[in-house]
């Protein structure tokens, strides 16, 4: 299973960015995504939750991003998105997507797993 994140970049304070993350697996397996989310990390700090969304469920946001960020998912595309508006320099971080899923192997065996993308850098200038 691989998660590919994209959409990071440099933006001025008050601007917007949209992050995307797509999950892919073996051609011989079937994926069922339970939840996906975004986390972020700055140097010297622990990775922190930004937003998560469960399949068929309501989104969950960290307090610092409530009202500014919107998470959405597309199960058919096995993708999750993060629309970030009114960005501030405090949002500068490497953003990681995360997926909690079941993968059915070719022999029918389900394997549960939690996976991370490679991270995409968001830099907000003042």
């Amino acid at each position: 299973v691989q998660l590919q994140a994209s959409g990071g970049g440099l933006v001025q304070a008050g601007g917007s960015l949209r992050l995307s993350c797509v999950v892919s697996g073996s051609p011989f397996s079937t994926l069922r995504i339970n939840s996906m989310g975004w986390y972020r990390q700055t140097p010297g700090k622990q990775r922190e939750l930004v937003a998560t969304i469960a399949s068929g469920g309501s989104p969950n946001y960290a307090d610092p991003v409530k009202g500014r960020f919107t998470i959405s998912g597309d199960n058919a595309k096995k993708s999750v998105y993060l629309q970030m508006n009114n960005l501030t320099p405090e949002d500068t971080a490497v953003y990681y997507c995360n997926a909690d899923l079941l993968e059915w192997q070719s022999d029918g065996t389900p394997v549960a797993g939690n996976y991370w993308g490679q991270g995409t850098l968001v830099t907000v200038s003042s």
Side-chain angles (χ1 to χ4, degrees), residues 13-25:
S16 298
L17 282 174
R18 185 174 188 253
L19 305 183
S20 300
C21 178
V22 60
V23 182
S24 61

Side-chain angles (χ1 to χ4, degrees), residues 42-102:
T42 55
K45 293 189 176 182
Q46 286 189 331
R47 193 171 297 184
E48 63 178 13
L49 168 74
V50 176
T52 60
I53 185 166
S55 180
S58 299
N60 175 54
Y61 298 98
D63 286 343
V65 308
K66 283 181 180 177
R68 301 187 298 122
F69 290 11
T70 302
I71 188 171
S72 60
D74 186 330
N75 277 346
K77 295 182 179 180
K78 294 184 177 59
S79 297
V80 66
Y81 310 97
L82 186 69
Q83 177 66 44
M84 305 185 293
N85 298 328
N86 194 21
L87 285 159
T88 73
E90 289 69 35
D91 295 315
T92 295
V94 177
Y95 284 71
Y96 296 90
C97 63
N98 174 270
D100 186 89
L101 54 83
L102 279 176

Side-chain angles (χ1 to χ4, degrees), residues 4 108 119:
Q4 182 68 42

Side-chain angles (χ1 to χ4, degrees), residues 108-122:
T109 304
V111 178
N114 188 276
Y115 300 90
W116 293 93
Q118 84 283 10
T120 184
L121 176 62
V122 172

